[in-house]
């Protein structure tokens, strides 16, 4: 490099970094689909809130808060329970919703223990002449709602969160013999537990990752209850003396109550059945610690009716021990003799086997053994939802710390062959059961805050920009230093004249300020405290890029920021990009070039995005914003700083004429013209809007091309005549749940809904209109795309919404709450 280095325009750090992995982009680039969420039963179980329909509890009677009555759970939705007082029978009219966190709910027996009054509610008093006899009858064999989830510190918590670091469990030894030892929970990632043997607090050498529903994991006390010995595994037994291990056991028993995990957590564990294997039987098996090949194996030992030991055959004379592990009748990776041959799969010959081709008949005769009969093995199923080339997330069996992107390369009955991407060391295709607890749906790692191993191609060289000034011309050339050796000059747009006024200090993000309707408050909070110092253009370009990526709909923010063709050009044009729903957009945005104009530019940009003028700028807001923006809400943004816009469905406020529309009408030729805003690529499959359900209605409408408006108008026109005959409007039980007006401060969800028309008769347009009156308005687009009418709406459940609409748990629960309100209103008004 020639010239004198004045300043670094970016904090370089390491020369190599991992780019952020995005599943949507990856699926689009590879043309693959994600495995359906419903295929991962263990993940579905982990998301349950611990309450189930049919459970009973004692609830304060609304008309008399000093009395209680028994109620039954009808359905659950997050921390909300739909309850019905016992005595109403099949009558749904008196069903009511309760929030676990705020309602007066207790387990069965609480009133008796606390000397509270159980009294029949007034509405059913005439139906229950003998209260005591009625309670004895309905409570006989009844299942009470878990006490630990209704009271105390655990109230309203997901049961899975009760397995906290420091909790103790017992883990069976799957390698040596039928023994168990205490383990400590080091980490809980969505039910996947990192466990450390008790007594090895300072060493992670023997740590294991196991899903909490694993059949070999139990609550403390299991071994003693079932007659198994509590011994440290052979692998660690020599690390301490017998006296030390006994002292550790004594300590565990003293602290058992403090570190225990509720027994209810294990109620959904698979039940281990009775097996019919005998010692010496031959079979085919996959070693769970190296699940890459299928090999001949032998039943080495039968412990009892539930457990037996399998060893992978090894005929080498110098081999004194075999790879062995404990199994039960439902263990994955065990097959009858000839299973590989029947399915066209390769069976690996035992090490030391003479000859090239393995033959089971000769081998059995040579060993003098019998094959385990077909009746010993569970029936395999192909009804699981997985297909070849589907993507998912899977644990690397060689390094269980790693969760990798996985591709289904082969399917046979209940087994998948998975190719792992991004692992530190390449591994062959893994063989796993469709019921394995080491496979997870797309997005599981992101949801649970765990690092997913990205594909190797996602690792790139980070660019380090250095400002170089030629002494004679005082020109700033922005260059890329690659590997410390090669220097490649950037585009001409990156070269700008420099002296003191073209450099700038820092732009601060003031996270406490009002974020407006376009920007996601949660994503804003994750932005860095500041950007800079450096060249004005480059600093502002980085700031605007961060803001675009922090939007509910990045393409909408880019559209708001883009340079208007007809406006006077006072600054410097920069091309910025945005990605949304699998599509890429770019537009030219004007930024200022001199330091004296930065403050005004930031303020005007904030107002353009309808957020607080101090959300970002050269001044740091330390405590209270001078604009008093904390009193603003997102439904009041149209009145902020005198900004008024006429909003239309599917069209952002202030849309510019130079926007390129992606939609093309058939059989019509359109004159081509030059546009700034360019749609880069289009997803091949139908895209689903994953905008958070709580985002404001004014934060972006629907697609960028007014498609929603035309489609909704068409849908409304189809049933116009029908609506003339029967007016369909929605009446709400209170003012809080009306569609928001500009004067509303916020919109709250009312518990009870009053309808003027039967939901069974609603058209798609009626359903869309209802959703747009709720805080789930951004999801109305999905219902329009999938043509969900009233009958379909009433059939939707939480699992269906998650799987078919590809929503995350939070937005799905919020949506289902509104669906349940419609169902409740339907039952009360129209289901007689």
């Amino acid at each position: 490099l020639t010239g004198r280095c004045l300043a670094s325009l970016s904090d370089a750090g390491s020369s190599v970094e991992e780019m952020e992995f995005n599943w949507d982009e990856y699926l689009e680039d590879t043309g693959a689909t994600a495995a359906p969420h419903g295929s991962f039963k263990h993940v579905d179980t982990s998301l349950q809130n611990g309450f189930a329909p049919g459970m009973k509890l004692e609830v304060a009677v609304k008309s008399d808060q000093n009395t209680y009555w028994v109620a039954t759970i009808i359905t659950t939705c997050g921390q909300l329970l739909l309850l019905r007082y016992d005595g109403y029978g099949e009558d749904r009219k008196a069903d009511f919703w309760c929030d676990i966190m705020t309602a007066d709910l207790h387990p069965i027996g609480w009133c008796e223990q606390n000397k509270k009054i159980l009294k029949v509610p007034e509405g059913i008093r005439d139906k229950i002449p003998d209260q005591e006899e009625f309670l004895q009858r309905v409570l006989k064999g009844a299942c009470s709602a878990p006490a630990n989830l209704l009271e105390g510190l655990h109230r309203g918590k997901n049961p899975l969160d009760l397995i906290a670091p420091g909790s103790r469990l017992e883990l069976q030894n799957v390698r040596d013999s039928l023994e168990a030892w205490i383990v400590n929970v080091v980490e809980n990632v969505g039910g996947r537990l990192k466990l450390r043997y008790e007594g090895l607090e300072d060493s992670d050498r023997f740590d294991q990752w196991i899903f909490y529903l694993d059949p070999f994991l139990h609550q403390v006390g299991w071994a003693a209850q079932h007659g198994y010995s509590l011994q440290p595994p052979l692998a660690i037994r020599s690390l301490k003396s017998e006296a030390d291990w006994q002292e550790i056991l004594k300590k565990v028993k003293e602290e058992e109550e403090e570190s225990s995990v509720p027994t209810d957590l294990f109620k959904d564990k698979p039940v281990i059945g009775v097996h019919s294997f005998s010692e010496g039987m031959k079979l085919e098996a996959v070693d769970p610690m190296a699940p890459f090949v299928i090999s001949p194996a032998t039943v080495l030992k039968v412990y009892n009716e539930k457990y037996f030991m399998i060893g992978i055959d090894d005929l080498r004379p110098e081999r004194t021990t075999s790879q062995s592990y404990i199994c039960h009748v439902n263990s994955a990776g065990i097959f009858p003799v000839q299973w590989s041959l029947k399915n066209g799969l390769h069976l690996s010959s035992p090490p030391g086997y003479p000859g090239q081709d393995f033959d089971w008949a000769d081998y059995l005769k040579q060993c003098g053994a019998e094959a385990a009969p077909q009746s010993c093995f569970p029936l395999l199923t192909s009804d699981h939802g997985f297909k070849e080339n589907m993507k998912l997330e899977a644990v690397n069996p060689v390094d269980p710390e790693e969760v990798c992107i996985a591709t289904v390369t082969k399917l046979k009955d209940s087994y998948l062959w998975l190719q792992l991407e991004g692992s530190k060391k390449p591994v062959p295709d893994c063989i796993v059961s469709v019921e394995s607890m080491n496979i997870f749906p797309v997005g599981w790692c992101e949801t649970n805050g765990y690092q997913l191993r990205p594909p190797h191609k996602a690792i790139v060289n980070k660019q380090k920009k250095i400002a170089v000034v030629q002494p004679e011309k005082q020109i700033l050339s922005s260059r890329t230093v690659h590997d410390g050796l090669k220097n490649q000059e950037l585009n001409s747009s990156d070269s700008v004249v420099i002296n003191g006024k073209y450099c700038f200090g820092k732009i601060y993000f003031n996270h406490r300020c009002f974020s407006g309707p376009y920007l996601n408050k949660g994503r804003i909070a994750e932005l860095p405290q500041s950007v800079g110092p450096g060249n004005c253009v480059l600093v502002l370009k980085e700031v605007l890029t961060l803001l675009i990526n922090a939007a509910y709909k990045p393409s909408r923010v880019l559209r708001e920021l883009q340079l208007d063709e007809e406006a006077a050009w006072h600054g410097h044009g920069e091309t910025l990009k945005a990605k949304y729903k699998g599509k890429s957009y770019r537009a030219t945005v004007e930024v200022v070039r001199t330091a004296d104009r930065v403050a005004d530019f930031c303020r005007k940009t904030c107002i353009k995005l309808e957020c607080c003028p101090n959300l970002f700028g050269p001044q740091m807001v330390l405590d209270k914003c001078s604009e008093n923006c904390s009193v603003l809400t997102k439904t009041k943004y149209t009145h902020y700083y005198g900004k008024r816009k006429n909003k239309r469905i599917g069209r952002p406020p202030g849309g510019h004429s130079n926007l390129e529309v992606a939609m093309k009408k058939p059989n019509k030729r359109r004159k081509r013209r030059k546009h700034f805003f360019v749609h880069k690529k289009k997803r091949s499959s139908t895209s689903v809007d994953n905008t958070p359900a709580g985002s404001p209605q004014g934060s972006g409408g629907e697609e960028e091309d007014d498609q929603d408006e035309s489609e909704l108008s068409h849908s409304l026109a189809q049933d116009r005549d029908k609506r003339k005959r029967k007016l369909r409007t929605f009446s709400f039980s209170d003012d809080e749940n009306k569609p928001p007006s500009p004067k509303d401060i916020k919109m709250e969800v009312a518990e009870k809904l009053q309808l003027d028309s039967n939901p069974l008769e609603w058209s798609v347009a009626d359903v869309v209109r209802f959703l747009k009156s709720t805080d789930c308005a951004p999801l109305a687009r999905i219902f329009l795309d999938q043509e969900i009418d009233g009958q379909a709406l009433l059939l939707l459940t939480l699992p269906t919404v998650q799987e078919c609409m590809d929503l995350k748990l939070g937005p799905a629960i919020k949506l289902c709450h509104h669906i349940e309100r419609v169902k409740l209103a339907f039952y009360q008004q129209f289901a007689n």
Side-chain angles (χ1 to χ4, degrees), residues 609-783:
L609 296 181
E610 303 181 24
C611 57
C612 173
N614 290 332
L615 181 66
F616 59 93
Q619 298 297 323
M620 181 189 292
V621 176
L622 295 175
D623 189 15
K624 189 174 181 181
C625 172
S626 60
E627 304 291 338
N628 198 26
C629 66
S630 61
V631 302
L632 294 173
T633 58
K634 291 187 177 182
T635 55
K636 212 173 180 182
Y637 63 87
T638 54
H639 290 257
Y640 196 65
Y641 276 81
K643 187 170 185 181
R644 303 289 193 275
K645 291 185 178 180
N646 294 323
K647 297 184 181 293
R648 295 194 298 148
I649 296 173
R651 184 81 175 176
H656 303 298
S657 61
N658 62 336
L659 172 68
E660 180 175 342
V661 179
M663 284 186 63
K664 294 182 180 179
K665 295 183 179 180
N667 303 323
K668 287 189 179 180
R669 297 173 64 89
R670 298 183 64 180
K671 184 177 179 181
R672 297 177 66 89
R673 55 181 291 190
K674 187 175 181 181
H675 300 293
F676 284 93
F677 198 85
V678 182
H679 171 216
K680 292 280 287 179
K681 58 184 177 180
K682 190 173 184 179
R683 182 187 287 274
S684 58
S685 59
T686 302
S687 184
V688 175
D689 187 350
N690 283 324
T691 304
S695 62
Q697 288 176 304
S699 67
E702 313 304 333
E703 282 288 358
E704 315 306 328
D705 51 16
D706 285 345
Q707 185 177 358
D708 283 14
E709 186 177 42
S710 61
E711 288 184 8
L712 182 57
S713 298
H714 176 69
S715 180
L716 290 172
Q718 285 182 329
D719 68 334
R720 186 175 295 135
D721 293 337
K722 192 174 180 180
R723 292 204 318 275
K724 285 181 180 179
R725 292 192 301 269
K726 183 175 182 180
L727 182 63
R728 292 177 181 176
T729 57
F730 300 94
S731 295
F732 300 85
S733 59
D734 54 51
D735 292 335
E736 290 177 345
N737 208 30
K738 289 181 180 177
S741 65
K743 294 182 179 180
D744 290 335
I745 294 178
K746 63 180 180 179
M747 183 177 71
E748 297 180 356
V749 175
E751 286 295 326
K752 191 174 181 181
L753 187 67
Q754 185 72 26
L755 302 176
D756 283 347
S757 61
N758 190 336
L760 285 177
E761 299 174 358
W762 286 0
S763 66
V764 176
D766 290 327
V767 172
V768 169
R769 192 183 300 109
F770 166 73
L771 283 174
K772 288 197 172 184
S773 71
T774 72
D775 58 351
C776 287
L779 303 181
R781 166 74 193 194
I782 304 175
F783 285 71

Side-chain angles (χ1 to χ4, degrees), residues 67-240:
T67 65
Y68 295 79
W69 189 241
V70 176
T72 301
I73 297 176
I74 305 301
T75 190
T76 67
C77 185
Q79 66 183 47
L80 300 176
L81 304 178
L82 181 63
L83 304 177
R84 183 183 306 162
Y85 286 125
D86 282 13
Y88 276 96
E90 298 301 317
D91 186 356
R92 304 184 180 97
K93 290 181 180 179
D95 290 2
F96 58 98
W97 286 97
C98 279
D99 188 324
I100 301 167
M101 297 298 292
T102 58
D104 196 357
L105 309 175
H106 304 280
I108 296 299
W110 179 85
C111 284
E112 184 179 355
Q113 295 171 5
N114 293 273
K115 295 182 171 53
K116 299 292 183 181
I117 302 171
L118 272 175
K119 186 177 179 182
V120 183
E122 187 175 349
I124 51 175
R125 203 162 289 168
D126 57 337
K127 296 182 180 180
I128 305 175
D130 189 337
Q131 176 175 312
E132 294 301 322
E133 183 274 333
F134 176 81
L135 287 176
Q136 287 182 5
R137 176 162 47 85
V138 298
L139 295 178
K140 185 178 181 181
C143 177
S144 173
N148 60 298
L149 298 180
L150 290 172
E151 300 168 343
L153 296 175
H154 300 157
R155 183 179 185 181
K157 284 189 176 180
N158 186 318
L160 199 57
D161 296 335
L162 304 184
I163 310 178
S167 300
R168 288 192 178 106
L169 298 163
E170 288 182 3
L171 178 64
Q172 284 179 257
N173 188 342
V174 297
R175 279 295 189 187
D176 299 321
S177 62
L178 203 60
E179 298 173 339
W181 186 242
I182 293 96
V183 286
N184 275 290
V185 176
V186 178
E187 193 174 351
N188 179 356
V189 181
R192 189 167 181 256
L193 309 179
K194 186 175 185 180
L195 303 173
R196 183 169 298 167
Y197 285 118
E198 186 73 38
L200 303 185
E201 287 76 12
D202 300 326
S203 173
D204 60 0
R205 180 183 168 192
F206 298 96
D207 287 0
Q208 299 181 58
W209 282 95
I210 295 176
F211 202 74
Y212 82 105
L213 294 173
D214 190 286
F216 287 90
L217 192 62
H218 313 278
Q219 70 272 25
V220 172
W222 175 89
Q225 292 171 10
H226 294 81
Y228 297 125
S229 61
L230 206 55
Q231 292 279 351
L234 286 174
I236 68 169
R237 199 172 296 175
S238 61
L239 299 179
K240 294 183 181 291

Side-chain angles (χ1 to χ4, degrees), residues 268-411:
D268 295 313
K269 277 176 50 175
V271 177
I272 296 177
V274 176
H275 72 81
S276 54
F277 286 94
S278 301
E279 287 187 16
M281 284 182 173
K282 295 286 184 180
L283 65 157
E284 297 179 1
V286 176
D287 184 350
M289 301 301 176
F292 312 119
V293 296
I294 304 173
S295 307
T298 307
V299 178
L300 299 180
K301 188 174 182 180
V302 173
Y303 291 98
N304 53 30
E305 62 180 12
K306 288 189 175 182
Y307 300 104
F308 54 96
M309 179 183 283
I310 281 181
I312 304 297
D313 286 1
D314 190 331
L315 305 180
R316 291 174 295 185
E318 68 273 15
R319 184 82 175 194
T320 56
T321 59
S322 66
Q323 293 174 277
S324 58
Y325 52 94
I326 306 295
C327 284
H328 51 83
V329 68
N330 293 319
S331 287
I334 57 175
F335 314 100
V337 163
Q338 303 288 11
W339 186 82
S340 297
L341 181 64
K342 291 176 182 176
N343 286 279
L345 301 170
H346 175 70
L347 181 69
S348 180
S349 301
Y353 179 79
Q356 298 294 322
D357 299 322
F358 179 82
D359 182 80
W360 261 116
D362 291 343
Y363 185 60
L364 289 173
K365 187 175 181 181
Q366 176 187 338
C367 297
E370 64 170 328
Q374 179 74 49
S375 59
C376 290
F377 301 88
L379 294 175
L380 301 181
T381 177
S382 56
D383 183 21
H384 43 65
F386 291 100
K387 294 179 181 177
E388 284 190 14
N389 297 320
M390 279 185 171
K391 302 287 184 180
L392 58 145
E393 299 176 2
V395 175
N396 182 352
V398 176
D399 184 0
E401 289 274 351
E402 288 186 355
V403 180
C404 304
I405 296 167
T407 306
V408 179
T409 59
K410 191 187 301 180
L411 279 161

